[in-house]
Each structure stands twice: as C-alpha cells, then as structure tokens.
Amino acid sequence: MSKVISAEKAAELIKDGTTVAWTTSVLSGFAEEMAIAIEKRFLETGAPRDLTITFSSGNGDYPYGDVKGMNHLAHEGLIKKVIGSHIGQSPRLGKLVTENKVECHLFTQGILVHLYRQMAGKKVGVITKTGLGTFIDPRLDGGRINEITKEERVKLIEFEGEEYLYFKPFPIDVAIIRGSVCDEKGNMAMTHEPLLLESLSLASAVHNRGGIVIAQVLYLAKTGTLHPRRVNVPGGLVDYIVQAKPENHLMTTGTFFEPDLCGYFHTPMGSIPPLPLDQRKVIVRRAAMEMLPDSILNLGFGTPTYVASVAVEEGVLEKVTLTTELGNFGGVPCSGLDFPASHNAECTVAHEAMFDFYDGGGLDTAILGFAQADADGNLNVSKFGGRISGPGGFINIADSAKKVVFVSPMTIDAKTAVKDGKLVILKEGKGKKFVNQVEQVSFSGTYARKKGKPIFFVTERAVFSLENEGLTLIEIAPGLEVERDVLSAMEFRPRISPALKEMPRELFMPQWGKLRQIMEENR
C-alpha cells in the first residue's frame, strides 16, 4: 500500500486534542503544504480543534510577511497550547498568546531538541543548568508566557549539591517533518535542504509511542535508488508521504533553491558585497575585534550575522569557523531572507548534535543581539514592548560560550551618520535599550558574573563590559561626549571605567583593514 497521500488526506489524520510537532527554522524545514491543508480543513469544518503544537525554532515569514509558517495555524480554537522556543516570526500566533487565547510555554531551543531526543529513547527528560536565573527558571516564570498558562513543565532540582532545571517529557501524537525526497518505502533524504534539523529525533519519538509521522517532500523516488548514506530518516519511521508544490517547499524564506546553501558547490566569497558605512557596520566591526584566530563562533540573528560580511571584507574568514545553532559549521551564515542557511558550509550536523557541542563549551565566542539591558547585566530578548518573541537558542548560546559579545544600537530608531572618522547623532531614538529593569530575564547577569567569563556590550556609541560592580562603560565613540550622548540615552548610570578610552577611529572610516592584525594580537 502506497504511503503517498494528499496533504488534504494527511490533515484529516490529525484528531482533536492531539499534540503535533513540527520541524522548522523560519521557513527552512517547515512543511508549508501541510500547514495550508490543516488551516483549510479547520476553516471549512472546524476540525481539528484544541491542538498542542510544539516546535524548537521560530517559524514564519515575519518581518517580510505574516501569512506563512505557523501563522497558518493561528486560529482561535485550532490551537490550545504552544510549547516552543520562538514565536516572533509568527505574529498571528503571538497575538493569540498575548490575548490569552492560547496557552504558551517558551523554552530554549537546545532544551527542546534535546528533550525530543530523550523522548525518542524514553528517557527521564532533560536535566541542565541552562536557564537558571532566567524566565525559564520556575522561581521566575517557569517558561510560562501569559496568564492562562498554569501547568508546570520545569522543576528546580538539586543533584549532588548543585541546582539544575528538570524538563519532563510530554507525549507527541503526530510529527510533521520535511525532506527533499522520499522513496516509496518512506526513506527520506534531505539533499536539497539547507539544514537537517531534528527530523530523526522527532520521527523516532513519535514512532516509538505509536504515533503518526508525516513527511513532506518535493520529489518521489523509486525504492532502492537512494544512497543509504544520504537517507536521514529511515522509511520504517515514516507513515505517510505528502508531495508538496514547489511554492510550498522553499529552501529559505526568500529562496526556492540555491546550490551553495546545501553543499552542491561553493560560491566565491568575493561576491558578497561590503556593508555600507553606517552605525551597523561600526557595531559589527567592533564586535569582530573580539574574535580570536582559529576559534569557533556563533553569530545570532539580525545584526550579528553581518560580522560574517566584515570577516569576508577583511580577509579573515579562513581564520575562524562560523557556526549556526541549527547545525552548520563553516562558511558564511546568511542574513535577511536566507537566514538560517549558510553559504558554503563545511559540515552540517543534526540540530540536537550542535547543541551538544554548544552546551559542552565548544563555542569560543558568541556574538548576539539584545533588546534590553540593565545595570546588573541582565538581558531581554524574549518579551518586550508588548511583543512576545521567545529566546530561540539565545539562552543556550549565551550561557555556554567562553566569551559573549552582545550587540545593538544604543537606542531605538535613532538617526546617525558616520563622517570623517566620527559618529554624528542626527536625531535621538524614540526608546532606550539600557533600562532600569528588563521586562523579562533572558540572560542572567548574576549567574554570568559568577562564571567570570568576558561579557561585552557593543553599540555604535559605546562599549561596556560586565564586571563584578555591574555594567561598566569602557569605550566611547570618537566625536561623542559621555554625559550628553551616552548616559542621557540610558535609564541608569553605569560604572565608568577609570581607563575609559575612545573606540578605534578606524572603525568609522570607509576602509579599515586592521582586523587581521587585531586578531593576531588577541591570540
């Protein structure tokens, strides 16, 4: 009997009240054809209802749109609960959560992918120090995002005299995974996918408890024609196959297929245009100064990804290994519409394997964005300004990297110019990012100080470090005054280093050319 069915038939297999897991990161790995079919069935029949949906990464097309990805399922009555890490790319779903129409737990990305793997083996769950002191800690919010979410899904435990967080397993009834091609037996290969994600762990977890595994693919192959080393999920774990229309099977939000995003060949890096000289370039240049030769880095979403462009422009890309938490080692992580893929990746591993590497301390440096910071060094990336986003992999990465560089403009929507080796503030921003108290703790400055690792905050106006006394101003942009241009843009007064110095003027010039030398001096 053929495993190939229509998306409409597959949607009918999902019953009221079930838990459905999805592989996804933005639109990479997301089964758009299946989401469309489930939405269509619900709008026409009212079923399925009261689903619990779980996913490890953000999924949607925001800020480029608000109709794809998990936005399809954002209907009152269709979803009852969400267990994920990031909903910022699905504003329709975020609206339901904000309005208390859907229960929501948001944990960190690495915890969820490890939990799926533990569930596959019917293990006890995940026990970790990751998340202590953040909103995931049950002494704060326990990962609960709104008022209607009451269930406790994480516990504080003590083991051999130390504190840990315990995340218990939960049953998953349906897994909706995505690959490039399935043969007639259901063997699934991911030859045209930019990432492997957690497809195997989810398929194993659901298969092993008697659930349904649905694989969305673009192509069908004859049994026996797929090389076994290219098969990522064995056919015995796949119950049904849905062949998608090309427009519902995008490689990334902006690309249907690009060979260098899945390893077919490498694109010359000289083809990546340099960034224009503006405040963003100043920020990422200064952040790049914290890189060490022969080190392994993670670049976060948004501004941090442009550190890769600076590395290319400065000719130091071969000196470092850039990674993404989704599983790519090497190459250049994409930004914009092609996030979270990588140009010219050297190796792609499973999602959960990458977090094994990260959580174990494999990252030398992480360069990450932030939305709010306070005097104690606490950061918020997950819930601010009335918007719920979630931490994604931020908490794992910031907690485990040996050095962390947080980057952001000093204020929200300020207008600046970079002229003659100086920063000029044309119009002050409409909101402050350095606040008296962050709205939600996504990174604990208290726990970070206990570890004693280097923590920096880089803006276009100033650089701060996190020291025992709290946030400390250590550098200021040329052309600016401390009181007028930095402290006035903050809700609190940081400690000012007695060795306060000027940020290198070369960062504010059209041509830099000093990164290689700086990295060697850092060795």
Side-chain angles (χ1 to χ4, degrees):
M1 184 176 177
S2 175
K3 292 184 176 183
V4 180
I5 61 174
S6 68
E8 291 73 21
K9 289 291 184 183
E12 292 175 3
L13 298 171
I14 299 173
K15 308 302 181 185
D16 293 353
T18 57
T19 298
V20 183
W22 300 72
T23 57
T24 179
S25 181
V26 193
L27 293 183
S28 295
F30 185 75
E32 182 84 3
E33 190 89 20
M34 279 299 305
I36 292 170
I38 293 170
E39 178 183 41
K40 183 173 183 291
R41 181 188 172 212
F42 176 79
L43 293 176
E44 291 178 352
T45 70
R49 297 187 61 83
D50 297 330
L51 300 183
T52 295
I53 58 170
T54 181
F55 43 84
S56 70
S57 303
N59 42 73
D61 53 350
Y62 181 84
Y64 312 102
D66 64 351
V67 296
K68 294 183 178 180
M70 210 56 72
N71 289 302
H72 287 295
L73 305 187
H75 297 283
E76 190 174 355
L78 174 55
I79 298 176
K80 182 179 180 181
K81 299 178 183 179
V82 172
I83 306 170
S85 76
H86 196 282
I87 58 174
Q89 289 147 345
S90 308
R92 295 185 183 184
L93 182 57
K95 187 172 185 290
L96 291 180
V97 172
T98 303
E99 294 175 350
N100 279 300
K101 295 177 179 177
V102 170
E103 298 174 36
C104 183
H105 284 87
L106 293 180
F107 300 134
T108 191
Q109 196 170 325
I111 287 169
L112 283 169
V113 294
H114 284 160
L115 189 56
Y116 297 153
R117 183 173 60 189
Q118 294 294 88
M119 288 156 60
K122 296 185 178 178
K123 303 295 197 304
V124 69
V126 171
I127 298 174
T128 180
K129 288 181 176 290
T130 299
L132 285 169
T134 74
F135 79 96
I136 292 173
D137 192 316
R139 289 169 292 191
L140 296 179
D141 302 318
R144 293 183 290 264
I145 295 301
N146 57 15
E147 290 80 3
I148 65 167
T149 304
K150 305 296 184 183
E151 185 177 2
E152 294 184 2
R153 291 188 175 272
V154 55
K155 294 181 180 179
L156 179 70
I157 64 171
E158 185 175 303
F159 179 70
E160 294 191 349
E162 296 191 45
E163 291 181 341
Y164 291 86
L165 299 180
Y166 166 61
F167 297 82
K168 59 184 179 181
F170 56 92
I172 301 176
D173 305 295
V174 180
I176 301 178
I177 63 177
R178 198 185 92 170
S180 304
V181 55
C182 272
D183 69 13
E184 296 159 299
K185 291 182 67 175
N187 293 303
M188 190 180 85
M190 305 178 75
T191 52
H192 290 63
E193 306 295 318
L195 302 161
L196 299 178
L197 299 178
E198 60 274 19
S199 302
L200 180 57
S201 289
L202 273 183
S204 297
V206 174
H207 172 83
N208 289 351
R209 75 173 306 270
I212 297 170
V213 177
I214 301 169
Q216 175 181 306
V217 297
L218 197 56
Y219 306 109
L220 300 175
K222 184 176 176 59
T223 298
T225 59
L226 297 178
H227 193 290
R229 295 288 181 89
R230 302 304 295 270
V231 172
N232 303 100
V233 179
L237 304 185
V238 175
D239 298 294
Y240 299 98
I241 303 166
V242 171
Q243 187 173 16
K245 301 179 185 70
E247 62 267 27
N248 296 328
H249 201 98
L250 300 178
M251 178 178 268
T252 69
T253 303
T255 299
F256 169 63
F257 177 70
E258 183 65 44
D260 80 328
L261 300 185
C262 58
Y264 277 90
F265 57 72
H266 284 192
T267 300
M269 287 295 94
S271 63
I272 296 179
L275 295 174
L277 182 58
D278 55 15
Q279 69 173 22
R280 179 180 63 181
K281 190 164 189 173
V282 169
I283 291 170
V284 295
R285 276 177 167 178
R286 179 59 185 84
M289 289 174 59
E290 299 301 325
M291 299 192 301
L292 294 170
D294 307 315
S295 61
I296 299 176
L297 295 91
N298 172 275
L299 304 181
F301 178 67
T303 297
T305 61
Y306 293 99
V307 172
S309 176
V310 168
V312 171
E313 184 179 355
E314 292 288 313
V316 300
L317 186 63
E318 79 283 356
K319 293 285 187 181
V320 295
T321 299
L322 303 180
T323 69
T324 69
E325 62 268 32
L326 286 307
N328 281 335
F329 281 87
V332 178
C334 298
S335 56
L337 289 166
D338 284 333
F339 182 85
S342 295
H343 297 288
N344 303 351
E346 298 167 10
C347 175
T348 302
V349 302
H351 199 173
E352 59 271 30
M354 183 58 89
F355 277 102
D356 289 334
F357 175 73
Y358 281 7
D359 288 353
L363 274 177
D364 295 298
T365 305
I367 301 176
L368 306 169
F370 68 94
Q372 293 177 328
D374 65 25
D376 291 325
N378 297 315
L379 291 181
N380 177 19
V381 300
S382 47
K383 186 179 181 182
F384 48 89
R387 183 184 171 204
I388 298 171
S389 180
F394 178 92
I395 295 175
N396 289 88
I397 298 164
D399 183 68
S400 64
K402 297 180 181 71
K403 178 197 286 188
V404 187
V405 183
F406 297 111
V407 300
S408 172
M410 189 83 191
T411 61
I412 300 170
D413 293 336
K415 292 184 179 180
T416 64
V418 181
K419 297 178 180 179
D420 303 321
K422 298 179 181 180
L423 181 75
V424 179
I425 301 172
L426 303 175
K427 183 179 179 181
E428 188 52 271
K430 63 183 181 182
K432 297 179 180 180
K433 291 200 166 191
F434 290 86
V435 296
N436 289 321
Q437 184 175 359
V438 296
E439 293 178 53
Q440 188 170 74
V441 179
S442 311
F443 174 82
S444 170
T446 301
Y447 276 83
R449 287 199 298 274
K450 289 179 181 178
K451 293 185 176 182
K453 65 183 180 182
I455 306 285
F456 297 98
F457 302 77
V458 175
T459 76
E460 77 285 6
R461 304 185 195 187
V463 179
F464 304 84
S465 64
L466 182 58
E467 302 179 4
N468 289 333
E469 299 86 350
L471 205 67
T472 301
L473 176 64
I474 60 172
E475 295 178 24
I476 184 170
L480 300 189
E481 296 180 5
V482 172
E483 293 285 346
R484 182 192 67 195
D485 301 312
V486 177
L487 301 187
S488 66
M490 306 173 70
E491 290 186 0
F492 61 91
R493 189 178 184 89
R495 175 177 177 266
I496 300 175
S497 171
L500 177 67
K501 62 182 181 180
E502 191 177 80
M503 295 170 69
R505 284 181 177 262
E506 294 88 349
L507 300 178
F508 300 82
M509 302 293 285
Q511 301 299 320
W512 184 24
K514 291 198 173 183
L515 183 55
R516 181 179 291 269
Q517 175 186 338
I518 291 168
M519 289 176 63
E520 289 299 329
E521 291 171 354
N522 289 342
R523 187 186 292 273

